[in-house]
């Protein structure tokens, strides 16, 4: 039925919404159940890094559903040939904070079936029988498009050292002094090591042998898009206020932070 409703259009667009705890408390699902919400320890939301949601229930708070689990469930539903027999391509596109989500999810997710030689991998949640049957048929090709994220997860300890205008810039492991000063630089969400500002269950389940994880990522269809003029800087504006007689003018200076997509400002981002 869902497929028949879309026969007039060649593209179906779905936009998931990851609510934070401080978002509108009156938002509810059509089922009447409360929606999933994520903590916002970081300014743009922990959902970017695969953190578990806080599910408010009558019994209290349950933390067992990652933002990556939510994306996996959407992909599995769309990949079900019983429901969508003619679907050929699924593109998961994320911009800015969404780009951070998609880049990290594309690395860890086990649902890139066709891209990973069509092998069934162990999923972090149980599928219904209907999804299992539909998933056995050849699935649509899956592509991830990462646009203008302001932070990335790196695959090993190396980083670009130097400046863009410096011919000596190179991809290498930072010095011991730099690693000591920025001890979290290769911990999740910036690298694959344990530790970091948040404990992500999904990452722990996905990261076994790092070499196998990296090899798998190389086989996946992931596209990076970066706007060369989309840069982060700090600017100062001055506003002059005066009365009708142009007397007693006052000046107000405001320093503001642009909402751009250059690298964020922690040492982990800057490496």
């Amino acid at each position: 039925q869902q497929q028949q409703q879309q026969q007039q259009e060649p593209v179906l667009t779905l936009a998931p919404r990851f609510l934070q705890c401080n978002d509108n408390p009156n938002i509810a699902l059509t089922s009447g159940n409360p929606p999933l919400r994520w903590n916002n320890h970081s300014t743009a939301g922990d959902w970017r890094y695969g953190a578990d949601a806080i599910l408010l229930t009558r019994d209290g708070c349950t933390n067992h559903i990652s933002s990556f689990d939510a994306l996996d469930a959407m992909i599995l539903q769309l990949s079900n040939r019983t429901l969508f027999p003619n679907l050929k391509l699924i593109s998961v596109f994320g911009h800015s904070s969404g780009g951070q989500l998609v880049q990290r999810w594309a690395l860890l997710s086990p649902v890139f079936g066709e891209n990973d030689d069509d092998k069934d991998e162990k999923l972090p949640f149980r599928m219904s029988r209907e999804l299992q049957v539909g998933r056995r048929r050849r699935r649509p090709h899956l592509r991830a498009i990462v646009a203008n994220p302001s932070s990335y997860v790196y695959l090993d300890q190396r980083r670009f050292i130097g400046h863009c205008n410096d011919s000596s810039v190179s991809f290498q492991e930072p010095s011991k002094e730099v690693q000591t000063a920025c001890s979290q630089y290769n911990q999740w969400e910036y690298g694959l090591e344990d530790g970091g500002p948040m404990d992500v269950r999904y990452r722990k389940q996905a990261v076994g042998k790092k070499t196998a994880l990296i090899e798998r990522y190389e086989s996946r269809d992931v596209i990076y898009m970066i706007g060369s003029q989309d840069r982060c800087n700090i600017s100062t504006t001055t506003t002059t206020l005066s009365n009708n007689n142009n007397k007693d003018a006052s000046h107000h200076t405001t320093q503001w932070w642009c909402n751009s997509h250059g690298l964020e400002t922690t040492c982990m981002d800057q490496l």
Side-chain angles (χ1 to χ4, degrees):
Q1 183 181 2
Q2 294 173 356
Q3 182 83 357
Q4 292 174 354
Q5 292 174 355
Q6 299 301 325
Q7 286 183 350
Q8 301 298 321
E9 300 290 340
V11 177
L12 172 64
T13 301
L14 302 175
R17 183 178 185 182
F18 294 97
L19 293 172
Q20 297 183 172
C21 290
N22 58 349
D23 284 330
N24 186 346
N26 297 320
I27 296 175
L29 303 178
T30 55
S31 63
N33 295 322
L36 296 175
R37 291 179 182 269
W38 276 261
N39 273 325
N40 52 327
H41 294 114
S42 57
T43 56
D46 295 353
W47 54 269
R48 296 182 295 174
Y49 315 126
D52 282 347
I54 294 178
L55 178 61
L56 300 179
T57 65
R58 293 186 180 90
D59 299 326
C61 294
T62 305
N63 298 290
H64 295 301
I65 302 177
S66 163
S67 53
F68 294 166
D69 285 331
L71 280 183
D72 287 344
M74 289 181 65
I75 299 305
L76 289 174
Q77 186 78 0
L78 292 171
S79 300
N80 187 340
R81 286 307 191 191
T82 303
L83 298 175
F84 301 96
N86 299 318
L87 190 61
K88 298 179 180 179
L89 172 66
I90 301 174
S91 294
V92 182
F93 181 90
H95 175 261
S96 188
S97 292
Q100 296 183 49
L101 171 82
V102 171
Q103 193 251 345
R104 292 170 172 89
W105 168 80
L107 172 65
L108 300 182
S109 173
V111 303
F112 273 68
E114 181 179 313
N115 304 59
D116 294 334
D117 297 324
D118 214 22
K119 295 178 181 178
D120 283 325
E121 300 186 58
K122 184 179 180 180
L123 295 169
F125 56 88
R126 178 177 294 181
M127 290 188 295
S128 66
R129 180 173 179 80
E130 180 186 12
L131 278 177
Q132 293 179 36
V133 172
R135 193 170 182 259
R136 292 192 187 103
R137 305 174 188 176
R138 187 163 181 81
R139 286 154 276 176
H141 181 76
L142 183 56
R143 172 177 296 152
I145 303 175
V146 181
N148 297 310
S150 55
S151 70
Y152 301 81
V153 57
Y154 284 81
L155 304 182
D156 59 24
Q157 294 85 358
R158 293 174 297 170
R159 301 293 187 271
F160 281 101
I161 307 299
H163 298 282
C164 295
N165 297 327
D166 187 352
S167 59
S168 64
V169 65
S170 61
F171 196 52
Q172 60 181 292
E173 189 171 340
S175 66
K176 296 298 182 182
E177 292 77 12
V178 171
Q179 293 187 40
T180 300
C182 188
S183 59
Q184 293 183 337
Y185 95 97
N186 202 44
Q187 297 173 354
W188 187 262
E189 67 272 4
Y190 309 97
L192 293 175
E193 294 178 359
D194 292 333
M198 66 180 67
D199 185 38
V200 175
R201 172 190 54 83
Y202 190 105
R203 181 199 68 85
K204 290 182 177 180
Q205 292 178 338
V207 177
K209 294 183 178 179
K210 293 186 178 66
T211 53
L213 188 73
I214 294 170
E215 290 175 358
R216 187 183 71 175
Y217 190 57
E218 291 176 345
S219 70
R220 296 184 167 182
D221 187 354
V222 181
I223 298 173
Y224 289 83
M225 300 175 63
I226 304 297
S228 60
Q229 297 301 315
D230 195 356
R231 300 171 180 171
C232 198
N233 53 33
I234 296 176
S235 180
T236 301
T237 60
T238 300
T239 303
T240 301
L241 303 175
S242 63
N243 59 23
N244 292 333
N245 296 325
N246 237 2
K247 297 178 180 179
D248 300 322
S250 62
H251 299 274
H252 177 67
T253 301
T254 302
Q255 188 178 61
W256 52 274
W257 184 258
C258 64
N259 293 318
S260 74
H261 306 98
L263 291 178
E264 295 178 0
T265 56
T266 68
C267 65
M268 294 81 78
D269 295 299
Q270 296 298 319
L271 278 177

